[in-house]
Amino acid sequence: MAPTMAVSSTDSFDITDFVINKGNGVKGLSDLGIKSLPSQYIQPQEALINIIPQQSIPVVDMSNWDNDPKVAESVCEAAEKFGFFQLVNHGVPLEVLDGVKDATHRFFGLPAEEKRKYTKELSSTNNVRFGTSFSPDAEKALEWKDYLSLFYVSEEKASALWPCACRDEVLEYMKRSQVLCTKLMTALMEKLNMSKPSAHCWVGRHSDVSSLTFLLQDEIGGLYVRVNEGKGEEDGWVHVPPIEGSLVINVGDALQILSNGRYKSVEHCVIASGSKNRISIPIFVNPKPNDVIGPLPELINAGEKPKYKNILYSDYVKHFFRKAHDGKKTVAFAEISS
């Protein structure tokens, strides 16, 4: 949760040491009962966003996916026009979604010394990372969030290395989401006139570097998506209201590049609540680090002019993580200069 007043009352101790070095995170600050926001977390004036209350992103009901081709068409249309959509009746059981949310609360409720074992300095593997903000060394203002990143290599390594407080529930959530991922990627690739999806497609304010992101959010809300950028209409942000049992799907930069700009990766951000802790659990469906991403050959062979160059995916990710969140500027790293 975030304090409501933008005046620091915590200058008497080293916030960086408490939050980052000692592993307390912003949850630790919140648990102290502070009544104001430390100056390090006050965002600049230009970070303020124009919220459009009347709009929202599409909600797609997948209950008739196998019998009605219009459902898949709705997914593709949402990926093209909005880059974001919510899915209901998607096939991932509600008890699995509730289980992974409970496990997330369980991990972040651990003592600081337990969570600190998974920080960059102490973690025994790069596949598990606990941290705070996004890139503290590069940010002018820190982000009010803590995170746990779990990189899936194999079930064997996950079982051995992931925190036991949440390991089993996260693995089950991933397994149950695989069928859904296959359905979505198949539909999106077929829309590009590809008979078979290419293998590499499967696997603050910012867009994601993934192919697709599957986001499970709790009932708190606070996720906002940018709409109408550069379209001559009101450029602003719309709230993604929590729907029980739904999953939020968004196009990532990798899929925008692969589709030669057909599918849109768009900016999104989270505005913290002043009174409640918010959790969200994303699954990032990424190309492999040694994959080269660029407009799919089938599109270029059909006569499309490439908008992006071919680039090693690991280089794209490194570029993303070496700076602060900066909207859609990351994708410019792959653009072909006109």
Side-chain angles (χ1 to χ4, degrees):
M1 66 181 177
T4 55
M5 296 176 58
V7 180
S8 174
S9 63
T10 53
D11 294 335
S12 59
F13 73 103
D14 188 334
I15 287 180
T16 300
D17 181 62
F18 178 82
V19 172
I20 299 175
N21 300 336
K22 292 183 179 177
N24 289 283
V26 295
K27 184 178 185 300
L29 277 180
S30 179
D31 290 344
L32 289 177
I34 62 172
K35 302 299 182 183
S36 59
L37 189 65
S39 58
Q40 292 92 330
Y41 292 92
I42 299 176
Q43 298 297 318
Q45 186 73 20
E46 58 267 25
L48 298 177
I49 64 176
N50 173 41
I51 296 174
I52 306 175
Q54 297 85 6
Q55 294 191 31
S56 187
I57 63 172
V59 178
V60 179
D61 187 338
M62 291 189 67
S63 57
N64 204 26
W65 178 274
D66 294 328
N67 301 313
D68 186 357
K70 290 184 179 179
V71 181
E73 290 175 11
S74 297
V75 165
C76 296
E77 182 179 358
E80 289 184 26
K81 292 185 177 181
F82 294 89
F84 260 84
F85 51 96
Q86 291 204 69
L87 295 178
V88 295
N89 298 317
H90 43 66
V92 182
L94 183 60
E95 57 267 25
V96 172
L97 302 182
D98 288 341
V100 75
K101 285 191 284 189
D102 290 342
T104 302
H105 280 294
R106 188 160 58 244
F107 173 83
F108 286 103
L110 291 173
E113 57 269 21
E114 286 296 314
K115 292 182 289 190
R116 188 168 177 265
K117 294 177 183 178
Y118 301 103
T119 58
K120 181 179 180 180
E121 293 74 22
L122 298 179
S123 181
S124 61
T125 173
N126 289 329
N127 296 335
V128 180
R129 183 74 73 245
F130 167 71
T132 189
S133 196
F134 173 70
S135 182
D137 295 336
E139 293 165 334
K140 294 180 181 179
L142 298 176
E143 296 183 358
W144 189 264
K145 72 172 184 181
D146 301 326
Y147 66 86
L148 174 68
S149 293
L150 303 173
F151 297 89
Y152 183 83
V153 177
S154 68
E155 185 157 356
E156 180 182 8
K157 288 191 175 182
S159 297
L161 300 172
W162 288 7
C164 60
C166 58
R167 175 189 59 219
D168 294 342
E169 291 82 1
V170 173
L171 281 172
E172 184 65 15
Y173 174 42
M174 288 180 59
K175 290 177 185 176
R176 295 292 191 132
S177 299
Q178 284 179 341
V179 173
L180 177 59
C181 178
T182 300
K183 289 180 178 180
L184 296 182
M185 288 302 297
T186 298
L188 291 166
M189 291 300 103
E190 287 180 350
K191 180 68 172 180
L192 299 177
N193 294 320
M194 296 181 61
S195 57
K196 292 184 179 180
S198 296
H200 56 253
C201 293
W202 293 98
V203 189
R205 285 178 55 173
H206 65 285
S207 57
D208 294 339
V209 296
S210 57
S211 294
L212 284 180
T213 300
F214 290 61
L215 179 71
L216 173 63
Q217 60 172 341
D218 62 13
E219 73 283 357
I220 304 301
L223 174 63
Y224 287 81
V225 175
R226 192 169 189 175
V227 297
N228 299 330
E229 184 181 11
K231 295 181 179 180
E233 303 175 45
E234 184 180 7
D235 180 5
W237 298 72
V238 300
H239 185 234
V240 181
I243 299 175
E244 184 179 8
S246 73
L247 288 172
V248 180
I249 311 296
N250 70 270
V251 172
D253 289 355
L255 185 54
Q256 176 171 320
I257 293 169
L258 290 164
S259 69
N260 203 31
R262 179 86 62 88
Y263 300 131
K264 309 298 184 185
S265 171
V266 299
E267 288 184 61
H268 48 284
C269 69
V270 172
I271 299 177
S273 165
S275 59
K276 296 179 180 179
N277 291 317
R278 173 188 183 271
I279 63 164
S280 63
I281 304 105
I283 296 177
F284 298 105
V285 183
N286 300 322
K288 296 177 181 178
N290 59 351
D291 281 337
V292 174
I293 60 172
L296 293 165
E298 291 84 351
L299 301 177
I300 306 307
N301 293 339
E304 289 192 20
K305 181 180 178 180
K307 298 178 181 178
Y308 307 97
K309 58 190 175 184
N310 292 329
I311 187 171
L312 191 67
Y313 184 66
S314 59
D315 288 342
Y316 191 84
V317 173
K318 288 175 185 176
H319 176 72
F320 178 73
F321 281 104
R322 69 167 58 106
K323 57 185 177 54
H325 278 147
D326 54 3
K328 283 284 296 177
K329 293 181 181 178
T330 304
V331 79
F333 184 60
E335 289 178 349
I336 295 176
S337 301
S338 55

